[in-house]
């Protein structure tokens, strides 16, 4: 029997990938539902967007907790209450700790705006631009305890045009992200 899987999307910022995933669900190209949107930034635009879509949110302020284990314990409770099957990181600007990793082993994925293992960490688009590479891209990978180190699931190259600016490159990369992430999640859910 086919069952529609439940996703939690974790994000700290704008939420354009969250919107791309939600729109793919609405358009029927991604068979899933977003059961929870999680953010560590109470004022983030992604939370506004999630509320507009009528989705359930879990917002927390890391500074109100003694450590990562304390807030991840609450996150895992919220995920389990919402019966979440997969955790989708989309601009969640934190390393995932052992509490969440062990609760969702093999079920946490991330999107990174470079061709890993190049340009790990913050501002991957700026790093690639400054390095003067002619090709960069997008990587979707499983999440482990490292920063952008988990097993790669999908990659797509993006050419850096000679006339490109940092802003234009970001736009080109995001256009790929918004198509590749929903497609890849759909593929993963069907395995
Ligand atoms: C994306 O570029 C993603 O690759 C990175 O964080 C950014 C999030 O952007 N991990 P948005 O909030 O989805 O617009």
């Amino acid at each position: 029997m086919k069952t529609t899987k439940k996703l939690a999307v974790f994000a700290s910022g704008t939420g354009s990938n969250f919107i791309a995933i939600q729109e793919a669900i609405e358009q029927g190209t991604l068979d899933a539902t977003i059961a929870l949107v999680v953010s560590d930034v109470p004022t983030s635009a992604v939370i506004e967007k999630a509320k507009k879509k009528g989705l359930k949110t879990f917002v927390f302020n890391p500074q109100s907790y003694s450590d990562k284990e304390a807030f991840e314990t609450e996150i895992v409770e919220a995920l389990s209450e919402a019966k979440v099957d997969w955790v989708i990181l989309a601009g969640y600007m934190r390393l995932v700790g052992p509490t969440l990793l062990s609760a969702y082993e093999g079920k946490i994925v991330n999107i990174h705006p470079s061709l890993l293992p190049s340009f790990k960490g913050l501002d991957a688009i700026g790093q690639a631009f400054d390095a003067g590479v002619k090709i960069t891209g997008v990587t979707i990978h499983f999440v482990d305890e490292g920063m952008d180190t988990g097993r790669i699931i999908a990659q797509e190259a993006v050419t850096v045009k000679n006339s490109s600016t940092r802003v234009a490159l970001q736009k080109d990369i995001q256009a790929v992200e918004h198509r590749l992430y929903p497609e890849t999640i759909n593929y993963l859910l069907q395995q």
Side-chain angles (χ1 to χ4, degrees), residues 11-18 46 49 89-93 110-114 125 138-139 170 173-174 177-178:
S12 307
T14 323
S16 69
N17 280 282
F18 152 70
V46 68
K49 289 175 181 159
L89 308 186
Y92 179 64
M93 304 303 281
N110 181 44
I111 187 164
H112 185 76
S114 77
I125 298 172
V138 173
T139 302
Q170 177 167 352
I173 285 186
Q174 288 208 320
E177 289 191 331
H178 298 162

Side-chain angles (χ1 to χ4, degrees), residues 90-120:
Y92 179 64
M93 304 303 281
R94 280 177 189 277
L95 282 180
V96 175
T99 308
L100 182 51
L101 277 172
S102 60
Y104 278 84
E105 208 186 329
K107 292 284 169 72
I108 309 179
V109 296
N110 181 44
I111 187 164
H112 185 76
S114 77
L115 291 178
L116 289 171
S118 293
F119 310 123
K120 293 184 176 125

Side-chain angles (χ1 to χ4, degrees), residues 10-161:
F10 284 44
S12 307
T14 323
S16 69
N17 280 282
F18 152 70
I19 285 293
I21 293 164
Q22 175 60 19
E23 285 179 356
I25 291 170
E26 288 167 12
Q27 286 156 16
T29 54
L30 168 55
D31 179 23
T33 57
I34 297 180
L36 197 61
V37 178
V38 176
S39 184
D40 57 339
V41 181
T43 54
S44 58
V46 68
I47 288 302
E48 278 299 301
K49 289 175 181 159
K51 285 185 177 155
K52 269 197 196 136
K53 290 283 184 187
L55 295 171
K56 208 169 159 216
T57 59
F58 178 84
V59 186
F60 67 100
N61 181 355
Q63 281 159 2
S64 324
Y65 295 82
S66 51
D67 55 18
K68 185 173 291 202
E69 188 184 346
F71 64 72
E72 285 197 346
T73 299
E74 279 195 14
I75 292 174
V76 170
E77 275 167 22
L79 295 175
S80 142
E81 201 172 299
K83 298 194 165 39
V84 165
D85 300 297
W86 283 82
V87 170
I88 308 296
L89 308 186
Y92 179 64
M93 304 303 281
R94 280 177 189 277
L95 282 180
V96 175
T99 308
L100 182 51
L101 277 172
S102 60
Y104 278 84
E105 208 186 329
K107 292 284 169 72
I108 309 179
V109 296
N110 181 44
I111 187 164
H112 185 76
S114 77
L115 291 178
L116 289 171
S118 293
F119 310 123
K120 293 184 176 125
L122 290 178
D123 191 21
I125 298 172
Q127 290 183 53
F129 191 80
D130 291 344
V133 296
K134 299 299 174 200
I135 296 174
T136 181
V138 173
T139 302
I140 295 160
H141 62 94
F142 287 107
V143 172
D144 62 14
E145 63 289 341
M147 187 185 285
D148 305 320
T149 50
R151 187 155 61 86
I152 292 170
I153 304 161
Q155 286 188 310
E156 191 168 314
V158 173
T159 301
V160 186
K161 298 176 198 108

